[in-house]
Amino acid sequence: MTLSFFLILIIFHFLLSFALSLSSDGLALLALKSAVDQSSAAAVFSDWNDGDLTPCSWSGISCANISGQPEPRVVGISLAGKSLAGYIPSELGTLRFLRRLNLHDNDFSGVLPVQLSNATALHSLFLHRNNLSGPFPHSLCTLPRLQNVDLSDNAFSGHIPSDLKNCKNLQRLILAVNKFSGEIPTGVWPELRNLLQLDLSANDLEGSIPNDIGTLGSLSGTLNLSFNHLSGRVPSSLGKLPATVSFDLRNNNFSGEIPQTGSFSNQGPTAFLGNPNLCGFPLRKSCSGSDRDFSPGSRDDTREPSKPGSGLRPGLIILISVADAVGVALIGLVIVYVYWKKKDDSNACSCVGESKFGDEKGNVCVCGFPCVSGSKSEDDEYEVEGGEEGEGEGELVRIDKGLSFELDELLRASAYVLGKSGLGIVYKVVLGNGVPVAVRRLGEGGEQRYKEFAAEVQAIGKVRHPNIVRLRAYYWAHDEKLLISDFISNGNLANALRGRNGQPSSNLSWSTRLRIAKGTARGLAYLHECSPRKFVHGDIKPSNILLDNDFQPYISDFGLNRLISITGNNPSTGGLMGGALPYMKSSQKDRTNNNYKAPEARVPGCRPTQKWDVYSFGVVLLEILTGRSPESSPTTSTSMEVPDLVRWVRKGFDQESPLSEMVDPSLLQEVRAKKEVLAVFHVALACTEGDPEVRPRMKTVSENLDKIGT
């Protein structure tokens, strides 16, 4: 009887221990902990306890409730920048619901285990800046949901496999700074219809660029093939890529003439540097005669050298000399003819040297356009070209003297439509020196209001701040009114947060978001406090916050509604100045539903105030923090949209909800940022107070944000 009793106790203890043991996901994660050198991991894994039921409270681990599963499952591992040394264990492949694996900026070595392909829910793999080696993992493309692969700054080697064509959903492929060799595979790229980013730079690739790379119709940003050993001609098929794609083909062995079709017209000279055998626009090296083809055997280099004493006969030397003299004389006559042809009209100016924009009498002109007496501002900052005095007809006013271009150069340059809205049509134009600018074409009315327009646009042009899109010039004529500004190529904050498909970005770290928030606050505070007219923007929202390649923010579109009303267009919201095509697709939603506006701004007839901007900026902060958009509509609704984001966040704080229920899940992995996230939440809530008198000034908001994280 006693023996039976003890046997029952042992069985009961065994069953109880089994019931309270760590889940299978937790056991797989403990394998990762064991694979890491513990001398560098003590602090990172301090709360990874094998006595827990689930790993969902562990640092760097995120879980989600999965339909049909009795307990939360691991969906994210983020241990980036922790100085971890070790290897990646094969047990991670047992995490069937793992979606994101972020181990970048560590010191992991060895090969990537093939068993990782068993984690069939994986869509993002960020392993850049480690010391991983071996061939490209062929098994990765068996993952049906794989979208983002960043293996850059490692030691991977071997050929890039043609199996990549099986990665049908791939959006980003970044293999830069590795040891990949061989040729870029063909037949792969037409299958990758969703690819947005391709970076194969700084490897040992050779051969020619496959023609079918030109089929990547979804590509944006930069096609980076620089610092390899690629050779042959640059295929003209690359001209079929979207107009917003920039090329980086530097430091290869390309030869021949640069094609002049499609997207090639948008490229600057830096895209082709380090290829001594390339010629043609936009390089200064022309392709004349035999220079058009640098392929082996294209030049007659097989002639035998002259033998000593086998010089030319005297009669032939005299004939060559006479021919040279006649040729030089003809060239001189042509130059003189062209010069006096341009000087023939007393109203014309010379296009030689510094007189391009003015003659010796102080008149200002563009070659081929009539000159008039031009007037400049008191600070001698503006330069005027063409037109009739007082009427503004045909005037090009260059606000920035450092940006040198001619009116006819601007009007004749290849232009690509970036977007259309009630704020006009916007084009990307690449000037002759390779500098891209954004040109906004306004309405055709307002002929009698030139002075009013000029005063308004010059006030905008005087705004100089590193976080505000800069207006460079404007043009006024009866049938054409243009604003020329800086072209900011990396899109806007709306798409950086939500991407093309409305899903949150996995690459926008907390430090990047905080930098964007601080820069935007500084720019807006400058508009309010320091600009010539103490501007009110009136339409602050993520689509009007543009980003450069370093994710520095630029506020755009301030003052445009006033200019549109002068020229006769119907004002609406946009976010197009200086932007690019892939970042403008939210404009229709902007026109129908703007939940960034302050409550008092929604009353018809109210004049904009600076406190409107403060409220709008607060909503932008909440979107940065939560990853959720306040712009929902009955026809487009996702889990990342909250119709009243301000009320939703305030309710969460009033009910003392966990921060994890409100913050963007991708930020939860950055444990050290939690205090900073909470501090920014408090700033955002102060900005979005219902009473405008209670809201702080933007200067105060900017100062408070600058204190966070320093």
Side-chain angles (χ1 to χ4, degrees):
M1 188 72 176
T2 304
L3 182 62
S4 300
F5 177 74
F6 278 108
L7 184 60
I8 292 172
L9 284 179
I10 292 172
I11 295 173
F12 178 77
H13 177 73
F14 174 78
L15 292 175
L16 182 64
S17 299
F18 180 80
L20 297 178
S21 63
L22 184 62
S23 66
S24 59
D25 285 358
L27 294 174
L29 292 173
L30 288 180
L32 174 61
K33 179 181 178 180
S34 300
V36 172
D37 182 3
Q38 295 304 304
S39 62
S40 64
V44 177
F45 299 114
S46 60
D47 58 354
W48 286 37
N49 301 316
D50 54 8
D52 295 334
L53 295 179
T54 71
C56 296
S57 61
W58 295 358
S59 298
I61 303 302
S62 57
C63 298
N65 292 316
I66 306 297
S67 177
Q69 297 296 313
E71 59 186 13
R73 304 301 297 268
V74 172
V75 296
I77 303 175
S78 182
L79 298 173
K82 305 296 184 182
S83 302
L84 302 177
Y87 64 93
I88 299 176
S90 59
E91 285 82 357
L92 294 187
T94 64
L95 299 173
R96 291 195 300 124
F97 300 97
L98 182 66
R99 301 170 187 169
R100 300 178 301 277
L101 180 58
N102 296 346
L103 299 177
H104 60 85
D105 291 278
N106 283 295
D107 195 24
F108 285 101
S109 57
V111 300
L112 201 61
V114 295
Q115 291 86 349
L116 198 60
S117 61
N118 295 327
T120 54
L122 192 66
H123 65 67
S124 294
L125 185 64
F126 298 110
L127 302 176
H128 45 289
R129 289 189 287 276
N130 277 285
N131 195 29
L132 298 168
S133 58
F136 184 92
H138 293 252
S139 58
L140 284 183
C141 284
T142 63
L143 294 169
R145 297 178 176 85
L146 191 64
Q147 296 179 357
N148 304 296
V149 175
D150 191 344
L151 304 180
S152 59
D153 285 275
N154 278 286
F156 288 103
S157 59
H159 288 43
I160 297 176
S162 58
D163 293 349
L164 276 173
K165 63 185 178 182
N166 297 323
C167 293
K168 305 289 186 180
N169 296 314
L170 200 62
Q171 295 182 5
R172 291 171 182 84
L173 178 62
I174 307 174
L175 305 178
V177 196
N178 276 288
K179 299 177 181 178
F180 289 111
S181 58
E183 297 186 355
I184 300 175
T186 60
V188 170
W189 316 107
E191 304 297 325
L192 305 184
R193 299 178 181 178
N194 300 311
L195 196 65
L196 303 175
Q197 184 178 1
L198 177 61
D199 189 347
L200 305 179
S201 62
N203 280 286
D204 295 319
L205 299 173
E206 56 189 12
S208 58
I209 299 177
N211 286 324
D212 55 8
I213 283 187
T215 62
L216 294 173
S218 297
L219 206 64
S220 63
T222 300
L223 170 63
N224 197 341
L225 304 177
S226 62
F227 293 92
N228 280 289
H229 308 294
L230 300 171
S231 58
R233 289 182 172 273
V234 178
S236 59
S237 61
L238 296 188
K240 299 177 182 178
L241 293 173
T244 55
V245 173
S246 298
F247 300 158
D248 191 348
L249 307 180
R250 293 173 298 160
N251 292 80
N252 280 286
N253 300 314
F254 295 117
S255 59
E257 183 176 10
I258 298 172
Q260 302 299 311
T261 58
S263 297
F264 284 99
S265 302
N266 294 346
Q267 308 306 317
T270 55
F272 306 99
L273 296 180
N275 292 279
N277 291 335
L278 271 183
C279 61
F281 180 83
L283 299 177
R284 294 185 177 181
K285 184 176 182 180
S286 62
C287 297
S288 57
S290 60
D291 289 342
R292 290 184 177 272
D293 192 352
F294 294 92
S295 57
S298 62
R299 296 186 179 183
D300 187 8
D301 293 328
T302 60
R303 293 175 295 177
E304 294 183 2
S306 300
K307 296 179 180 180
S310 61
L312 297 176
R313 289 176 294 177
L316 185 57
I317 293 175
I318 294 174
L319 182 61
I320 292 174
S321 300
V322 171
D324 287 344
V326 171
V328 171
L330 287 174
I331 293 174
L333 288 174
V334 171
I335 293 174
V336 171
Y337 171 78
V338 171
Y339 174 79
W340 286 109
K341 181 69 175 176
K342 292 184 177 294
K343 293 287 288 183
D344 189 52
D345 189 345
S346 60
N347 283 333
C349 69
S350 170
C351 283
V352 180
E354 298 300 324
S355 60
K356 181 181 293 184
F357 290 99
D359 60 15
E360 65 278 2
K361 295 181 181 180
N363 296 330
V364 288
C365 62
V366 174
C367 300
F369 288 79
C371 281
V372 295
S373 298
S375 59
K376 300 183 181 180
S377 62
E378 293 178 356
D379 59 359
D380 197 34
E381 188 175 10
Y382 300 91
E383 293 188 34
V384 184
E385 303 177 16
E388 298 179 9
E389 186 175 6
E391 295 180 2
E393 184 64 22
E395 285 190 357
L396 175 65
V397 182
R398 295 193 302 118
I399 298 172
D400 179 13
K401 291 190 289 186
L403 186 63
S404 177
F405 64 94
E406 304 175 16
L407 178 60
D408 56 347
E409 174 189 356
L410 179 68
L411 298 180
R412 292 182 303 182
S414 298
Y416 296 88
V417 176
L418 299 177
K420 302 178 182 179
S421 78
L423 292 178
I425 304 175
V426 179
Y427 304 84
K428 176 185 177 182
V429 176
V430 180
L431 302 177
N433 58 3
V435 176
V437 293
V439 179
R440 183 188 298 276
R441 186 178 184 184
L442 303 178
E444 299 180 359
E447 290 79 16
Q448 307 304 319
R449 305 176 68 179
Y450 168 70
K451 292 183 178 180
E452 183 180 358
F453 179 91
E456 196 74 27
V457 79
Q458 288 183 9
I460 295 174
K462 290 181 180 179
V463 173
R464 307 288 175 86
H465 190 274
N467 296 114
I468 299 175
V469 174
R470 188 168 173 180
L471 185 66
R472 298 290 183 173
Y474 68 92
Y475 174 74
W476 175 284
H478 173 73
D479 57 350
E480 194 77 272
K481 296 167 183 65
L482 308 174
L483 298 177
I484 299 95
S485 65
D486 285 342
F487 179 81
I488 312 299
S489 61
N490 201 24
N492 59 44
L493 178 59
N495 287 90
L497 288 170
R498 300 194 288 271
R500 282 189 172 188
N501 56 2
Q503 297 302 312
S505 170
S506 56
N507 286 329
L508 210 57
S509 66
W510 169 245
S511 59
T512 300
R513 298 186 195 209
L514 186 58
R515 180 167 67 250
I516 293 171
K518 289 180 177 181
T520 305
R522 293 189 197 110
L524 197 52
Y526 178 88
L527 282 179
H528 286 184
E529 306 284 347
C530 306
S531 61
R533 294 190 178 180
K534 292 182 170 49
F535 283 98
V536 174
H537 189 289
D539 197 21
I540 290 293
K541 56 188 175 184
S543 59
N544 281 339
I545 300 171
L546 308 181
L547 305 173
D548 65 11
N549 291 331
D550 296 321
F551 288 94
Q552 290 293 340
Y554 294 78
I555 298 174
S556 70
D557 281 11
F558 71 94
L560 281 184
N561 280 335
R562 173 65 177 157
L563 295 178
I564 295 295
S565 66
I566 294 174
T567 57
N569 267 9
N570 181 29
S572 67
T573 58
L576 305 176
M577 175 171 275
L581 183 59
Y583 315 103
M584 297 180 179
K585 295 186 177 179
S586 62
S587 59
Q588 179 63 32
K589 185 182 289 185
D590 291 342
R591 288 192 291 269
T592 59
N593 190 2
N594 188 347
N595 289 323
Y596 297 93
K597 287 187 176 181
E600 69 273 15
R602 302 171 191 178
V603 179
C606 290
R607 291 178 61 84
T609 68
Q610 292 184 351
K611 292 300 179 75
W612 288 21
D613 289 346
V614 174
Y615 185 96
S616 299
F617 177 75
V619 181
V620 172
L621 281 183
L622 292 180
E623 186 168 354
I624 290 174
L625 291 163
T626 64
R628 299 173 183 269
S629 169
E631 296 190 70
S632 62
S633 67
T635 56
T636 59
S637 179
T638 72
S639 61
M640 301 309 298
E641 293 175 334
V642 179
D644 195 333
L645 182 59
V646 175
R647 183 179 301 175
W648 180 76
V649 172
R650 288 191 181 278
K651 182 179 179 181
F653 272 86
D654 292 340
Q655 297 178 352
E656 298 182 353
S657 301
L659 194 62
S660 59
E661 293 183 6
M662 293 183 291
V663 76
D664 189 331
S666 64
L667 300 183
L668 292 173
Q669 318 311 320
E670 302 186 47
V671 179
R672 290 172 295 182
K674 286 186 177 179
K675 291 184 178 179
E676 298 175 10
V677 168
L678 189 60
V680 177
F681 261 116
H682 288 305
V683 173
L685 291 174
C687 292
T688 53
E689 287 286 351
D691 185 353
E693 297 300 321
V694 179
R695 297 172 204 151
R697 294 164 55 192
M698 272 310 305
K699 179 181 179 182
T700 304
V701 173
S702 180
E703 291 172 349
N704 290 339
L705 285 175
D706 283 336
K707 295 175 184 177
I708 299 173
T710 58

